Amino acid sequence: MDPNEMNEIGLANSRQNIRKLEADGLIIIKPEKIHSRSRTNRMKQAKALGRHMGTGNRHGTQEARLPTKVLWLRRMRVLRRLLKKYRDAKKIDKHMYHELYLKAKGNIFKNKRVLMEHIHREKAERVRDRMLAEQFEARRQRNKLARARKIARREERFAQGIFAGAEEKKDEA
């Protein structure tokens, strides 16, 4: 403040007058104090690395710090998203989707990897079952045809045997 202009400065009673005095250079407005966040940012970086997070620095129970409900919701969303993706990509059919959806809800799968492994195993098992069923059906058909041929041959021989027996009787008489 300029000591020669103290009277004028004292009469300034509005923001507009203060602004005018500042523009004229009679008063200087001090800059605002800076509240530095550097220490906070440094602490945050250290915590990201896991420092200052031991048992002595924790307030609140484990449930309060990260609720199991939140973990459950995350896991369900991940698993359900994967199931939808597989169903849309035709990797699993709607029946398998529904079955796995209910299993996921029933806490069968710990994480995404376990679910994917289960899907691959299930698909491989279904393919194997289908192949075995086809082989079994082919064997049944083959056996059926063999049985039919055997019966036809037996009947043919039987018919020849009857005629041969009838001719022998004629020869004897």
Side-chain angles (χ1 to χ4, degrees), residues 7 21 28 52 62 122 131 140 166:
N7 191 28
L21 292 173
I28 299 168
H52 317 289
Q62 191 173 354
E122 189 80 17
M131 272 181 26
R140 278 182 60 202

Side-chain angles (χ1 to χ4, degrees), residues 7-25:
N7 191 28
E8 194 177 337
I9 292 170
L11 291 173
N13 62 356
S14 69
R15 291 181 182 201
Q16 194 173 0
N17 288 347
I18 297 293
R19 279 194 210 104
K20 185 169 173 285
L21 292 173
E22 184 196 1
D24 294 343

Side-chain angles (χ1 to χ4, degrees), residues 33-123:
K33 289 268 190 254
I34 294 171
H35 188 132
S36 172
R37 288 199 50 84
S38 65
R39 283 183 301 280
T40 309
N41 291 338
R42 201 171 34 196
M43 187 70 156
K44 213 172 184 181
Q45 285 176 338
K47 282 189 173 185
L49 293 172
R51 314 290 186 262
H52 317 289
M53 299 294 279
T55 49
N57 294 317
R58 294 181 198 166
H59 293 288
T61 61
Q62 191 173 354
E63 184 70 18
R65 289 164 65 85
L66 185 58
T68 51
K69 184 176 182 179
V70 170
L71 295 172
W72 172 262
L73 283 172
R74 280 183 195 164
R75 185 166 53 148
M76 280 303 102
R77 286 172 182 166
V78 165
L79 296 178
R80 288 173 178 176
R81 200 177 304 125
L82 179 76
L83 286 173
K84 283 186 185 76
K85 193 173 91 175
Y86 272 26
R87 184 185 59 186
D88 294 341
K90 302 281 190 272
K91 288 186 179 179
I92 56 174
D93 61 344
K94 64 179 183 178
H95 303 294
M96 193 174 186
Y97 168 84
H98 186 64
E99 185 181 309
L100 293 173
Y101 187 96
L102 292 177
K103 281 186 177 179
K105 186 184 178 187
N107 199 18
I108 299 286
F109 308 116
K110 179 182 173 184
N111 53 36
K112 190 172 163 181
R113 179 180 52 79
V114 173
L115 174 59
M116 287 168 75
E117 286 172 0
H118 184 274
I119 289 171
H120 294 315
R121 207 172 342 161
E122 189 80 17
K123 283 173 71 174

